Amino acid sequence: MLASAVTHLVKGIVDHPDDVAVAQKSSPRGEVLEVRVNPEDLGRVIGRGGHTVSSLRTVVNALAGGERVRVDVVDTDR
């Protein structure tokens, strides 16, 4: 459920919504949502000073209902 919510939110931000991919993984510290976008959209998802990705993390933590969830934006250029 969280992965689909993040996908929906990120697709609304980027210029290339078809390139958005969210992978959900489990780690010892909780769930991890890895967000991959087109390299041209990376700055849009992170936002000026990281404000956009911080807001995205806030929304995801509210939807998680107390579960530990981390949102990572993966730079695919490297």
Side-chain angles (χ1 to χ4, degrees):
M1 179 201 132
L2 290 175
S4 62
V6 170
T7 303
H8 178 74
L9 290 170
V10 173
K11 281 186 176 186
I13 297 170
V14 299
D15 288 332
H16 305 282
D18 294 336
D19 294 341
V20 174
V22 178
Q24 188 169 357
K25 298 180 179 182
S26 294
S27 77
R29 293 200 258 164
E31 294 294 315
V32 177
L33 298 174
E34 289 185 351
V35 180
R36 297 179 190 274
V37 296
N38 188 304
E40 295 176 9
D41 292 326
L42 193 58
R44 286 194 139 188
V45 174
I46 294 172
R48 186 170 292 165
H51 290 287
T52 305
V53 74
S54 177
S55 298
L56 182 64
R57 289 176 176 141
T58 300
V59 170
V60 169
N61 284 324
L63 290 173
E67 294 179 29
R68 298 182 114 192
V69 179
R70 195 173 83 222
V71 178
D72 290 340
V73 178
V74 180
D75 187 0
T76 56
D77 277 350
R78 296 183 181 170

